[in-house]
Amino acid sequence: MNHVHQVGIAVECNGVKRTLSVVVKRAPTQVLFLKEISGEIVPLDPKKITVEYRALCKFDEIQPHSVPRPYLLDAEHNTLIMEGISGYQKLQDRLTEGYIGEHAFAVEGAFGLIGRVHRATSLETLTQGERQELMTRFENQGMKSLMADLLFDRPYDANDRSNRCKPSLMEKITATRRDPDVLRRVAGLREAFIRQKDCLCHGDFACDNILVSGDSFKVLDLEFSSVGLCAYDIGLFLETLVFQIQYHSYHGNMESTQLVRRLIHRGLGAYERERGKEKANDPIFVSQVCGLIGCEQLWRVLGALEIDEFDGDPEPELKILTLGKCFLLHCSSDCSIAENIDKCLSEHS
């Protein structure tokens, strides 16, 4: 969705030569959506780059070095320059490769970071003027509507050409798309996603948007940032970890599945410490997080996300579909998020 270039700049200071790395990111006015399937031209508001720059600044203010340091915003040309990220790898790739214990610090740290951001920008704690300023600076309705369309709308439209569904699963997929309980729950979560304003949210807080190098991590791609539904940040991050469990279980790496399950508990503990126990265990928040995990799981099977981790085997996708419906419909707001995850995984592993 952007034109991104990493640039090396040769500098000399006190006779010492070295190369500094920066990332130049420019926002286009439109994107060719799923070229190989639907070929749709989706309009984008290039001003999203301004929101991303502001979010980078805010995250760096709340926790220095947690994001690539923002250096410059050229609003006229919809371009930002930020700290280079050479030498970093995606957390998602490292977890998939089995380096789970080595990157526990990054998962816990990311949960703690987003808890700190949610707490520091909670509208409940701000003055009226501060609330208005935050909502104005991070108004990003175009990107929020795009995400809502991808997650809550398109997957349930059997005629949408962007959906990638396995023919062998079409009977189950069709039944899911017609299930009134599923549709009612998805519609409720969509409404909350669009309208609820809790705090500043990352908006795409997934394992593939967290980079690791040595003992440090950085969060990137804040272009979906807005004042919105805090449960979405946590639900999305948790779903990418749940998918790691599904991946390692399919490949017989049972030790890895147990490590990720423990990591989920530790990460949620870090979020609770930063966000506050009452907020992290609020029944509405718990219900929304679990439901959003379910929506993300269903998106993998019903929607545009392509699952290529299972060598074309439809059986794991059927399990993802079943688990997604469990998260969506059968979690209890009287239990913690971790307890609900354990329950769903135990029943549908």
Side-chain angles (χ1 to χ4, degrees):
M1 291 188 183
N2 300 282
H3 304 296
V4 181
H5 303 278
Q6 184 146 298
V7 181
I9 303 173
V11 298
E12 182 174 345
C13 181
N14 297 326
V16 178
K17 296 180 179 180
R18 60 186 182 131
T19 300
L20 297 179
S21 173
V22 298
V23 170
V24 180
K25 188 172 184 178
R26 183 172 67 85
T29 58
Q30 61 185 26
V31 64
L32 184 58
F33 179 63
L34 293 175
K35 175 181 178 181
E36 69 279 14
I37 296 180
S38 63
E40 295 176 59
I41 301 294
V42 177
L44 295 175
D45 183 356
K47 300 303 181 185
K48 69 186 178 68
I49 207 77
T50 297
V51 173
E52 179 169 9
Y53 179 81
R54 290 170 177 170
L56 286 167
C57 292
K58 193 66 176 178
F59 272 61
D60 193 54
E61 173 192 323
I62 292 170
Q63 183 170 313
H65 312 298
S66 61
V67 295
R69 184 170 299 171
Y71 293 140
L72 176 69
L73 171 67
D74 181 350
E76 181 181 356
H77 297 96
N78 303 307
T79 300
L80 70 81
I81 299 176
M82 60 185 173
E83 176 186 5
I85 49 177
S86 59
Y88 280 81
Q89 295 176 284
K90 288 186 176 182
L91 174 62
Q92 175 176 284
D93 294 341
R94 299 300 287 165
L95 296 179
T96 300
E97 292 164 2
Y99 297 101
I100 298 165
E102 293 87 339
H103 298 298
F105 76 91
V107 174
E108 289 188 72
F111 269 111
L113 166 65
I114 204 65
R116 197 168 296 127
V117 171
H118 288 174
R119 186 190 71 230
T121 61
S122 173
L123 296 194
E124 292 182 349
T125 64
L126 303 180
T127 66
Q128 183 175 351
E130 290 169 335
R131 287 197 295 270
Q132 188 59 50
E133 180 184 8
L134 193 72
M135 288 189 289
T136 299
R137 288 180 60 79
F138 293 99
E139 196 285 320
N140 203 7
Q141 192 60 42
M143 297 301 286
K144 185 178 286 189
S145 296
L146 174 61
M147 184 62 78
D149 183 45
L150 294 175
L151 180 60
F152 302 109
D153 297 339
R154 289 175 181 261
Y156 301 92
D157 180 357
N159 298 316
D160 192 287
R161 292 185 299 155
S162 68
N163 294 329
R164 315 187 198 203
C165 306
K166 282 192 167 49
S168 59
L169 297 178
M170 282 311 301
E171 183 178 348
K172 296 286 187 182
I173 288 171
T174 300
T176 300
R177 285 176 172 155
R178 293 176 177 174
D179 186 327
D181 293 330
V182 169
L183 296 178
R184 192 179 305 111
R185 180 81 160 114
V186 170
L189 289 165
R190 187 193 193 284
E191 181 75 6
F193 178 80
I194 290 293
R195 300 194 181 281
Q196 191 166 321
K197 300 186 186 301
D198 300 320
C199 56
L200 176 61
C201 300
H202 180 286
D204 196 14
F205 199 63
C207 285
D208 61 348
N209 284 330
I210 299 170
L211 301 180
V212 292
S213 177
D215 60 355
S216 69
F217 75 90
K218 292 187 185 293
V219 174
L220 72 161
D221 285 351
L222 288 85
E223 62 192 358
F224 285 92
S225 294
S226 68
V227 176
L229 181 66
C230 61
Y232 182 66
D233 278 345
I234 302 305
L236 175 55
F237 193 21
L238 285 169
E239 193 279 336
T240 58
L241 293 171
V242 167
F243 186 72
Q244 286 292 326
I245 293 173
Q246 293 165 322
Y247 170 83
H248 287 292
S249 177
Y250 175 75
H251 290 282
N253 306 322
M254 303 315 294
E255 182 179 354
S256 293
T257 66
Q258 292 304 313
L259 285 172
V260 177
R261 289 181 75 155
R262 289 197 289 270
L263 198 49
I264 286 173
H265 281 254
R266 290 166 59 181
L268 285 169
Y271 181 77
E272 181 180 296
R273 287 191 295 275
E274 293 296 339
R275 183 77 170 100
K277 186 173 183 178
E278 182 178 351
K279 292 294 184 183
N281 292 282
D282 176 79
I284 295 176
F285 177 74
V286 170
S287 176
Q288 289 175 337
V289 168
C290 292
L292 289 162
I293 295 173
C295 285
E296 293 285 343
Q297 287 267 283
L298 293 184
W299 186 16
R300 291 186 185 271
V301 183
L302 276 61
L305 288 184
E306 184 174 22
I307 301 178
D308 55 10
E309 288 87 352
F310 303 122
D311 306 317
D313 186 351
E315 188 62 28
E317 290 195 38
L318 179 58
K319 291 183 177 180
I320 291 171
L321 181 64
T322 304
L323 185 61
K325 291 171 73 173
C326 181
F327 277 115
L328 195 65
L329 300 176
H330 301 302
C331 287
S332 171
S333 58
D334 294 329
C335 300
S336 68
I337 296 169
E339 288 169 339
N340 277 303
I341 291 174
D342 286 341
K343 175 179 176 290
C344 287
L345 287 172
S346 297
E347 292 178 356
H348 300 285
S349 58

